[in-house]
Every structure is written in structure tokens, then in C-alpha cells.
Amino acid sequence: MPLNRPIESQPLQPLNNKTSTSTTDLLNALSAVEQDTAPDSLEQAEFDLLIEQGKTLAAKLETLKVLVEQHRILYNNTIPVLQKKQDSLRRAMVLWLDQRLKGDDLTARQERLMRRLICSIGMEFALAGDRVMRALHDVHSEESLADIERAQAAEAHAYLKEAMGEEFGEDKVFENLDDVLHAKFDFMRKEAEARARNREAKRAKKKRMSPADLQAAEDVESALRSLYRKLASALHPDRESDEEVRAYKTKLMSEANTAYERRDLLALLELQTKAQLPAATLTSALLRKKLAALTNLMRERLTALHREIRDHELQATAEFVLPASMMIHEASLKHHLNSRKREMLLELRRLNEELTSVKTDAGLKRWLKEQTAD
């Protein structure tokens, strides 16, 4: 946002994309000063291309984050509310069936079927910690829920022990499936950590950095350090008396710290533009002897951006129960949410109609017959 008055030392203002200084400008400024050390056109073109690709991916990632956060608000205001209403009707059905069983006008077959339905419908609530549903399950089932959970846990334990080795869960008795799954994930985590340590040890033993590799690493660190120091000098908020300017510089300084810690060259270059630093002040970071190392660093950053985008897409797919093949954009998220909302409203109406119907003898008989058919 525009500032109320200019800064005496640096005319710092938030800039839009149209005023961004390109990497080409930085390199051109360098060539005017040090022709003998400037990157050649191919090296410069490759680096510029990577910078542009990085900007595109970074913008895509930020857009995705905003889109997911906005959709999360819509989703949480819709789906959990409908799910809660459905659960309330299912739970009411279990309670009503339990009361209806106390009557003396039911056939033995109807009673067996109603008990079975109480157990099957109520089990989900019981496993989630509903004590009333757990007690009703145990009243109407020949086997307690605790016994069922132990049997399932033992079966899962035996299967995983055979698949993962005798060491898994040795001499342990699990009470339920959650305990087995937690043990499985803990076992897998420890094995993965052990494999990672072994790989790192072998890599360290095999690979010793060559003088060229050491120089490349030093070039990268030197360039990043140079960029960061220039930014830190320009953005130091304590030098400003204007509250608005100080707040803006504090925000940019925080971004610079994060970018430097992550070794994010792209973010540092973008911040240099926001800080309105002259291109010539940073050209030393782009000397020919350092450009190859910086190009490799940009390739690493592009790989990381691709991974971050994919991770956010996978998280959104799991959180919003999206089809695995669905492309995530505003229209697709809206369509999926509306479709799921319609389905849940239809299910809500069906559950409500069933609960009303079973309260008559004819309706109960018809409903039980439908459950048998299902």
C-alpha cells in the first residue's frame, strides 16, 4: 500500500508486479561494470528462465494456499453441520429401536433384526467414545465391543507381524485397532530413521566433496549472504520514525530472514525489488564464477516448489474428500462441495423419513423388510 510520505534514506514502497526489476536488468548492470566476468548469454538466459519459472510456481503455490483456506471456511460451515444432523438422526434411530424392543408385540425374527441393527448403527458412535451407544451395543450383542476390538487387534497384529517381521509388537497385547496402527506407524518411523542414518553414513563414507563442489557451495553461500546483508541494511526497521514505514520494513525483514534461512534465492531477489535497491548494488552476487552454482540452487528451489504444491494438493484432497484425479481450482472445489451438499441433504431427508415411518407398526415392518433386502 502507498505510504504517507517518502523515506529520506530509501524511497521504500510496496510495488506491484509491473514495476519489478528483472534478473536481466541485474545482469546487464553487471556487464556494464565488469565485462570480463559477466555471464555469457546462454548462462544468463538459463538463469533468467529458471527465475521466471520460479516466480510462476511461487505464485501458483500462494494462490493454492489462499484457495484452500477460503474453501476450508465454506467446507467447515457446511459439511460438519450436515454430518452432525445425520448422526443425530442415526443415534435417535438406535435409541428408538432400543425402546421399541421393550414392547411385547414383536416376532422373534423382528427382535433379532432390530438388535443387529442397533449394534451395526451404534457401533460407529460407540467406537468414537459414545458411552450410551457402547452400553446399548453390549446389551444387544452376544459379544462385547471390547472383545470385538481385542479380536480385531489380534488379527491385525498377526497380519502385520507376518508382513513386517517378528520384531513388530513383540510380546505386546493390543486392546484395539488404534493401538495396533499407532504401533505400526511408530515401528515404520523407527525403521525409516534407521535406513536414513545408514544411507547418510554410506553417502558420507563414499562421497568426499571435491574442490569444485566446495567452491560451488562457497559461491552459493557468498551470493546469498551478499543479498541478505544488502537487504538487512536497507530494511532495518529501527532506523525509521514513521510507524507505517517501520511496520512495512519489519514485515519485509521477517520475510528476508525466512528466505535466507531457507536459502531461497528467488525470494531474496523478489525482496530486493520490493526494497527498491538499485540493481548495481547486488550484481556482485551474480558474477560469472558464481552463476553456475546459483543456477543449481534455483533448480533445487523449483523442485522444492513443485513438491510443496503437490503436498498442498494431497492435503486438500484428503481434507475435503476429493477424487484423486480431480484438478484443484475454484470451480472444481465449488462443484464438488455443492454435489456433496446435495447428497447429504438427500440422505438427511431419507433418515428423517425413516425415523418418522418406523414409529408406526406398518412402517416398522416395512423398514425392517427393506433392511433385510439390503
Side-chain angles (χ1 to χ4, degrees):
M1 59 182 176
L3 303 179
N4 293 333
R5 57 179 179 272
I7 307 171
E8 295 180 2
S9 58
Q10 293 284 348
L12 179 67
Q13 293 181 354
L15 303 177
N16 56 35
N17 292 335
K18 294 181 180 179
T19 59
S20 296
T21 302
S22 70
T23 307
T24 302
D25 293 335
L26 295 174
L27 295 173
N28 287 341
L30 172 63
S31 64
V33 179
E34 303 180 59
Q35 291 287 342
D36 59 330
T37 59
D40 63 35
S41 59
L42 290 178
E43 290 173 323
Q44 176 180 325
E46 181 183 9
F47 187 74
D48 283 348
L49 178 61
L50 292 174
I51 289 289
E52 291 306 315
Q53 290 175 345
K55 290 179 180 177
T56 301
L57 289 174
K60 181 179 179 180
L61 177 60
E62 289 307 309
T63 299
L64 179 62
K65 288 179 178 179
V66 172
L67 179 62
V68 168
E69 183 58 34
Q70 290 174 343
H71 187 72
R72 180 176 291 116
I73 295 172
L74 295 174
Y75 182 93
N76 289 338
N77 287 337
T78 305
I79 301 304
V81 174
L82 294 175
Q83 186 63 58
K84 187 175 181 179
K85 290 180 178 179
Q86 288 185 4
D87 290 344
S88 177
L89 289 173
R90 290 192 179 95
R91 195 175 185 279
M93 176 67 83
V94 173
L95 294 173
W96 188 87
L97 290 174
D98 174 63
Q99 289 298 315
R100 186 67 178 81
L101 277 170
K102 296 176 182 178
D104 56 3
D105 56 343
L106 297 170
T107 67
R109 184 173 180 278
Q110 288 174 331
E111 287 185 359
R112 286 195 303 272
L113 183 54
M114 289 170 68
R115 292 181 190 281
R116 190 158 61 244
L117 288 168
I118 288 173
C119 294
S120 62
I121 299 173
M123 181 175 287
E124 179 182 350
F125 301 102
L127 292 175
D130 189 321
R131 295 183 179 181
V132 173
M133 293 292 105
R134 192 179 188 93
L136 285 177
H137 176 280
D138 289 352
V139 166
H140 296 289
S141 174
E142 296 178 356
E143 190 176 14
S144 72
L145 193 58
D147 291 338
I148 294 174
E149 287 181 298
R150 279 192 290 270
Q152 290 176 338
E155 184 179 353
H157 182 200
Y159 173 80
L160 290 173
K161 194 172 183 179
E162 181 178 354
M164 303 175 70
E166 290 296 321
E167 299 84 2
F168 173 71
E170 188 176 9
D171 300 327
K172 286 186 178 180
V173 177
F174 297 103
E175 292 296 321
N176 52 55
L177 283 175
D178 281 345
D179 290 344
V180 179
L181 291 175
H182 284 307
K184 172 192 171 184
F185 291 136
D186 188 54
F187 183 83
M188 292 175 66
R189 177 183 58 79
K190 290 179 180 177
E191 283 202 325
E193 290 174 352
R195 288 195 298 269
R197 286 194 297 270
N198 290 335
R199 284 196 302 270
E200 189 61 33
K202 289 179 181 178
R203 189 180 297 115
K205 187 176 181 180
K206 282 184 177 181
K207 185 177 179 181
R208 295 290 184 267
M209 290 187 74
S210 67
D213 291 335
L214 289 171
Q215 183 60 54
E218 176 56 31
D219 287 345
V220 167
E221 294 306 319
S222 175
L224 292 174
R225 190 163 52 247
S226 175
L227 285 165
Y228 175 73
R229 285 175 176 173
K230 296 291 185 183
L231 286 168
S233 177
L235 296 174
H236 203 294
D238 293 343
R239 298 173 182 171
E240 303 300 335
S241 58
D242 186 286
E243 288 290 337
E244 191 175 5
V245 176
R246 186 161 57 248
Y248 182 60
K249 279 194 170 185
T250 299
K251 176 179 179 294
L252 291 186
M253 194 64 237
S254 176
E255 292 178 11
N257 290 335
T258 301
Y260 185 58
E261 289 175 4
R262 295 176 59 186
R263 303 173 76 249
D264 190 344
L265 174 62
L266 178 63
L268 289 173
L269 289 173
E270 288 290 323
L271 285 166
Q272 164 253 314
T273 300
K274 292 180 180 180
Q276 289 191 335
L277 292 179
T281 64
L282 298 178
T283 53
S284 61
L286 296 173
L287 294 174
R288 182 189 187 113
K289 66 178 184 178
K290 298 180 180 180
L291 188 58
L294 293 173
T295 298
N296 288 333
L297 184 63
M298 276 306 305
R299 291 197 189 101
E300 293 176 5
R301 182 57 187 150
L302 292 185
T303 300
L305 284 169
H306 279 295
R307 183 169 58 249
E308 287 185 66
I309 290 171
R310 183 57 182 160
D311 288 346
H312 276 79
E313 289 175 339
L314 290 173
Q315 181 181 345
T317 297
E319 181 178 354
F320 306 132
V321 198
L322 305 174
S325 59
M326 181 177 132
M327 298 292 291
I328 298 178
H329 49 77
E330 185 176 3
S332 64
L333 288 174
K334 183 177 180 180
H335 175 75
H336 183 268
L337 180 60
N338 287 337
S339 296
R340 192 168 178 199
K341 180 180 177 180
R342 284 194 298 270
E343 292 171 359
M344 295 188 75
L345 287 172
L346 288 173
E347 176 68 5
L348 195 59
R349 185 171 68 180
R350 184 188 68 80
L351 291 171
N352 194 45
E353 290 174 350
E354 286 184 348
L355 185 58
T356 301
S357 175
V358 297
K359 292 182 179 179
T360 65
D361 291 342
L364 175 62
K365 184 176 180 180
R366 182 170 57 254
W367 183 73
L368 290 174
K369 186 176 180 179
E370 290 172 354
Q371 305 311 304
T372 305
D374 292 342

